[in-house]
Every structure is written in C-alpha cells, then in structure tokens.
Amino acid sequence: MQKMSNAEIVAIGTEILLGDLVDTNSAWLSQHLAALGVNVYRHTAIGDNRERIVAALGEAAARSDLVVTTGGLGPTSDDLTHECLSLLTGRPLVEYPEARRHVDEMFRRFGRKPTPSNYKQALFPEGARLIPNPLGTAMGALLEHEGTLFATFPGVPGEMRTMFEETLAPLIRERNEGTIVSRTLWFAGIGESALAERVQDLLDAPDPTVAPLAGEGKVRLRITTRAATPEEAIEKIRPVEREILARLGRYYFGQDDETLEGAVGRLLRERGETLAVAESCTGGLLAKRLTDVPGSSEYFREGIIAYSNEAKERLLMVPREVLAEHGAVSEPVALGMAEGVRKLSGADYGLSVTGIAGPGGGTEEKPVGLVWVGIADRRGSRAHRLDLSAWARSRSAIRERSASMAFDLLRRALQKVKEA
C-alpha cells in the first residue's frame, strides 16, 4: 500500500468563487491531515465547469499522493465531481446498487420520494470504493489512479467531517507512519513584528518550525514538528515552548483553543469571583464572547448595552454632568460605566468599553479608533486609553480589537491579583 505523504485539496463550487460561501472545509481538512502526518501543499477552489475541474484534478494528481475534493456531489446538472473524475481516469461512470439503495433509504427518512435526478448520486467511476454518508444522500468515493488516491466528499461540512473521520482517516493511519503535531501559543499586548523580533532565531530553525500568525488584537506562535508518535512530537516541542515562554511569558495567555475570554473566565473561576460588563461601542460583543465559553454562567453575571448618553445615565448611573463635560468617549465615563455595572450587578469586577468605532463620528480631539476601557473592583477603578486609529476604516476591526484588548487588560489585572 502506497504511503500518503502529501496532499492537495480541491474545493468545487462556483458559490465559493462568487463569495457566497466561505470554504471552511479546506482549513478543517488541512488541520486533520497534518495531524495524520500528511503535508497539504495546495488549496484550489474551482467553479462548476467540467473542463476546469478535470484540469484542476489532473494538476493536483501530478503533484500529490492524495487529492481530496469537497463539493459537486449533488443531484443537479452542475454537480460534476464524479463525472470529471471519470473523464480524468478514463473509467466509465456506473451505477452502484449500494448507493442507489442509500438514496432511497435517506429519502424515506426524510419522508419524501426521490426524483430520477437524485439517482445521479448513485453514479461513480468504475472501480471506486464508496465512502458511506450517514447524514446525507451523497456518498463519496475513494479511487486510486496512477499512484494518486482521490477521495471525494460532499461540501456540507458536517457530512464531510463525519465521512473523513470514519473512512479516510483510518485508511491514512493504516498506510502512514508518523504524525505532524502543532502547538499554538497565544499572546496579547504585543504586536506581531515586536513578537517576531524576540524569537527570530527560533523562526529560522528547521525543526521544530515556529511561525507567527496575527489575529484581531492577538498574536500566536505555532510550533510544528513531525515524529513517529504524538508523544515523541510533544517531547520535541516542549523545549522550544519553554524558551518562547521565557522570553514572552508576560504576554502569554493560553495555548491551542484557548481564547482571551476563556483565560479571563478561568482566572475568575479559580478565584470564585464574578464579572459584569457595560458596553457602548462594542454593542454586546463582550457579553457574546463571554457566553460563547461553556460554563461561563459560573462567573458572568450580566451585561448592559448602554449606547446612548441617556442609557449610560439611566442604566449605569453615570452623572449627566460628567457626560456633558467630558463626552461619552472619555476616561471619567469609562470609569463610571465600570463602577455602575459592578454596583448594579453585585459582581466582583465591572468591565466597560466606550469608543468611536467609525467610520464617521470622529473629531480631531477624539478620532475614530479612540477607545476607553474601564475596570472596577473592590480596590477601586482605573481606565485605559486605546488608540485603534490604524483600523479607522473598519468598524468591525475596531470593535473586535476593543473587545480583545479589554479582555486582555482584565486578564492582566486578574493575573496580578493572583500573583500578589
């Protein structure tokens, strides 16, 4: 059996090229193939065009041991994947009785009857091995041709993932030895270029490799290596991880799937403390991200969106004269919002955000991207001024970065209390 060491992913569907659909399948497949020791060399997105699909599949096969496709397995005339695979390999399309029975069974479950066009999903290149689909009508196919294994999956993410895990992943494990393991370290409060400068010698190392990746108000370093077993890979990663944390530990907040809001929640849970938030420019984003974390009800009390000055006065008890004198986007108002929500909720911490997210509404004194974050606890309250004017053209970027930086400021405050 041939080893599968490198792969390409071909996402099929005009809707991807038009921007009507975001291709999340390729990212998911890349992560899971890497964990199985398969390097992904290229992603290709191709429209529903017979000649272009055949060409894309042929080009991918010339470079790779494994070609994985998503999409194009439906019953309509523009679903062309198996037809194109037939044209490329010279193997005729034949009806598989097992696939026809599957279509009938799935339609019975749906309480409907298939139309003649639905039986197109029972046609596969001769010699293909079927990939069962327990969630939908479109079965996939495994087909070896001239040293390349083709694996076809539907574009529906839930169906594709189940089919991959139940069929292709075990096959790869059977054929391959070794695994590729990555660990991601997350940092906040430092820019990508500044972070990269501090670990440049590690970025140049051949194995394990270290790569910086920027996000909205966060930066990550991904450490990757190949080894015979996951345990051996982790042992190779550990000394690099220790060195990175020795240099950048003050900015570190978690690894792999950790989030800033998750790190805040973990620290609150450890201390048995609670949090409430008051938001203006972020419009509920703080509360949304907090409640995305499972178990956040243990520490998150409530959130108040006080967008207008009247709401800040009425809901959060920010004095009218403070709003009149300093304006909504100011240090005194951020402090008043944090103190008000803490008092009203009875939480241990109050966190507030007020700012100018744009694209309009800025002045020379208070430009778009000016944001104030307030933190209140039993020791008092303090406010932090953020300058996000570099993202003045993107309202969403300012909001996301405001939320991330607010969580990081609170995380640092919690960490400082923990270490005291």
Side-chain angles (χ1 to χ4, degrees):
M1 293 186 294
Q2 181 175 330
K3 181 179 179 180
M4 288 176 275
S5 57
N6 55 77
E8 295 196 21
I9 300 167
V10 180
I12 298 170
T14 301
E15 63 273 17
I16 297 172
L17 299 182
L18 293 175
D20 293 333
L21 182 71
V22 176
D23 174 27
T24 60
N25 287 335
S26 293
W28 187 93
L29 284 165
S30 289
Q31 292 172 347
H32 286 73
L33 287 168
L36 293 165
V38 180
N39 293 305
V40 176
Y41 286 166
R42 187 173 299 196
H43 290 181
T44 300
I46 199 78
D48 299 311
N49 178 282
R50 188 174 287 101
E51 290 75 20
R52 294 174 195 155
I53 295 172
V54 171
L57 294 177
E59 291 166 9
R63 294 184 292 255
S64 305
D65 310 310
L66 172 65
V67 177
V68 181
T69 73
T70 64
L73 302 190
T76 59
S77 59
D78 61 349
D79 289 305
L80 300 168
T81 300
H82 286 147
E83 179 184 340
C84 291
L85 190 54
S86 169
L87 290 170
L88 177 68
T89 61
R91 303 190 185 196
L93 284 176
V94 297
E95 183 175 277
Y96 278 58
E98 177 187 347
R100 186 181 181 95
R101 288 193 298 271
H102 176 73
V103 171
D104 288 334
E105 174 59 27
M106 294 305 293
F107 270 87
R108 275 195 292 271
R109 292 187 196 176
F110 301 150
R112 295 185 288 126
K113 290 185 177 181
T115 65
S117 65
N118 291 115
Y119 291 117
K120 176 184 177 182
Q121 293 179 300
L123 298 176
F124 297 85
E126 188 174 43
R129 170 185 164 191
L130 300 186
I131 301 177
N133 182 354
L135 303 177
T137 57
M139 299 180 79
L142 294 171
L143 182 64
E144 301 220 33
H145 179 71
E146 297 181 353
T148 297
L149 175 67
F150 292 90
T152 66
F153 294 97
V156 180
E159 296 180 23
M160 181 276 295
R161 294 176 184 185
T162 299
M163 295 164 70
F164 176 92
E165 289 171 343
E166 293 183 354
T167 305
L168 184 56
L171 179 61
I172 293 172
R173 290 190 191 98
E174 181 183 340
R175 294 192 181 188
N176 283 10
E177 294 179 359
T179 183
I180 298 173
V181 174
S182 292
R183 172 162 290 172
T184 300
L185 307 181
W186 287 97
F187 304 87
I190 185 172
E192 181 183 13
S193 57
L195 180 141
E197 285 179 9
R198 299 196 185 189
V199 293
Q200 187 59 56
D201 57 318
L202 301 177
L203 301 185
D204 296 333
D207 184 39
T209 61
V210 180
L213 302 157
E216 294 285 1
K218 308 180 291 293
V219 185
R220 52 183 163 155
L221 286 174
R222 186 184 61 213
I223 312 168
T224 304
T225 192
R226 178 190 287 273
T229 66
E231 293 76 17
E232 288 182 22
I234 293 297
E235 286 303 312
K236 290 173 67 177
I237 286 172
R238 277 193 183 123
V240 179
E241 179 182 356
R242 285 195 295 267
E243 180 61 28
I244 290 172
L245 294 181
R247 302 183 194 184
L248 296 164
R250 62 176 295 201
Y251 304 104
Y252 171 76
F253 69 82
Q255 67 180 36
D256 296 335
D257 295 329
E258 181 76 282
T259 61
L260 276 167
E261 51 270 29
V264 165
R266 172 170 44 79
L267 290 166
L268 288 168
R269 187 185 290 111
E270 288 174 1
R271 297 176 57 81
E273 294 180 326
T274 55
L275 169 67
V277 299
E279 305 184 57
S280 185
C281 69
T282 46
L285 186 57
L286 294 181
K288 188 265 182 191
R289 285 175 55 171
L290 283 165
T291 54
D292 280 345
V293 179
S296 55
S297 58
E298 293 180 36
Y299 50 82
F300 180 52
R301 283 283 181 87
E302 61 187 73
I304 294 176
I305 304 172
Y307 211 66
S308 67
N309 283 1
E310 184 273 335
K312 292 178 178 68
E313 180 185 349
R314 175 171 52 85
L315 297 175
L316 296 170
M317 303 176 293
V318 179
R320 182 177 301 180
E321 57 271 22
V322 171
L323 287 160
E325 180 180 354
H326 299 280
V329 182
S330 63
E331 180 178 10
V333 170
L335 292 171
M337 291 171 65
E339 292 163 356
V341 77
R342 178 175 180 264
K343 182 177 180 181
L344 287 166
S345 66
D348 296 291
Y349 289 87
L351 178 66
S352 69
V353 178
T354 181
I356 305 171
T363 66
E364 187 173 341
E365 182 184 358
K366 295 183 178 182
V368 172
L370 174 64
V371 177
W372 282 94
V373 173
I375 300 174
D377 58 29
R378 65 180 179 274
R379 290 167 292 278
S381 57
R382 53 272 186 207
H384 304 266
R385 187 183 190 275
L386 308 180
D387 179 4
L388 303 179
S389 57
W391 293 274
R393 293 186 179 182
S394 174
R395 183 177 178 85
S396 62
I398 288 175
R399 287 157 55 95
E400 285 288 348
R401 287 175 182 273
S402 296
S404 292
M405 295 174 82
F407 285 134
D408 188 49
L409 288 165
L410 179 58
R411 178 191 68 83
R412 289 167 181 259
L414 291 165
Q415 189 68 42
K416 193 174 293 185
V417 170
K418 179 181 178 181
E419 294 169 355

